[in-house]
Amino acid sequence: IGDHPTKAGAVRLLAVWLVSFNVVWSFTAQSAAHRFHPDKASDAAPSEASCVTRDDYAALAALPHATVLAVSNLGAPILRYTPQRVLAGPYHRNVEGDLATLNAFIGTDAEARDIVRRYGVTIVASCPGNAETIALSRKAPDGLAAHLARGDVPAWLVPVPSTADQPLKLFRVVR
């Protein structure tokens, strides 16, 4: 019984450490999905209009200060590229904001409107080519994410005209 690790022990520890990275899990899941369902895996891939560049957020950055409802994986770029506040982001400690956002995007129109009012949201952002938007639209075809992705805008939202031909579509909340 020695205090010194063996080479085999060090290799096992390194393997466990590498497996703990989310990127490894993501790559493994994506590879498995493609292997077992290649047609579905490619359908879920984000399009070129998946809202990943600074330019995609220029119109949002130009708006007056707002609280934005957007799918969680757009939260970080919104915070990075604009002066806006965002309800959700890919942060594990933002449980309330993330759950409210999910419920708004997959719930009924009345539920979405209630969440928007409760959290003081003034802008709703939709990126139809984004992987999370695609997944939520499939999960809830009658939810807000699916409606906005199809161009069906509820009466309590008004499109921001300058974003009609942009990857990131913006909508003002009607009070």
Side-chain angles (χ1 to χ4, degrees):
I1 303 179
D3 288 349
H4 302 288
T6 64
K7 285 185 181 182
V11 169
R12 281 193 304 266
L13 180 61
L14 179 62
V16 168
W17 182 67
L18 286 172
V19 168
S20 71
F21 286 118
N22 286 340
V23 70
V24 173
W25 284 101
S26 178
F27 176 76
T28 303
Q30 194 172 23
S31 297
H34 185 70
R35 169 175 237 137
F36 294 109
H37 299 286
D39 55 329
K40 290 185 180 179
S42 61
D43 286 350
S47 73
E48 291 177 12
S50 60
C51 305
V52 295
T53 70
R54 177 185 296 272
D55 290 344
D56 294 332
Y57 298 90
L60 181 58
L63 294 178
H65 184 72
T67 298
V68 181
L69 174 69
V71 293
S72 67
N73 67 0
L74 298 183
I78 288 171
L79 292 175
R80 180 175 184 204
Y81 298 134
T82 78
Q84 312 305 353
R85 180 174 177 228
V86 68
L87 188 58
Y91 311 109
H92 72 281
R93 294 186 183 209
N94 182 27
V95 175
E96 182 179 352
D98 288 339
L99 285 176
T101 297
L102 280 174
N103 289 330
F105 280 123
I106 66 172
T108 66
D109 186 63
E111 290 168 330
R113 199 172 43 226
D114 179 58
I115 290 166
V116 162
R117 283 188 187 130
R118 188 174 340 131
Y119 289 93
V121 170
T122 52
I123 295 289
V124 175
S126 175
C127 184
N130 181 272
E132 187 175 355
T133 302
I134 293 167
L136 292 177
S137 295
R138 287 182 180 160
K139 169 79 175 155
D142 291 324
L144 181 61
H147 281 287
L148 293 177
R150 288 192 303 264
D152 301 333
V153 182
W156 52 275
L157 292 176
V158 175
V160 173
S162 65
T163 66
D165 62 346
Q166 299 297 310
L168 186 67
K169 316 280 187 233
L170 302 177
F171 306 88
R172 292 185 196 279
V173 175
V174 176
R175 298 276 179 214

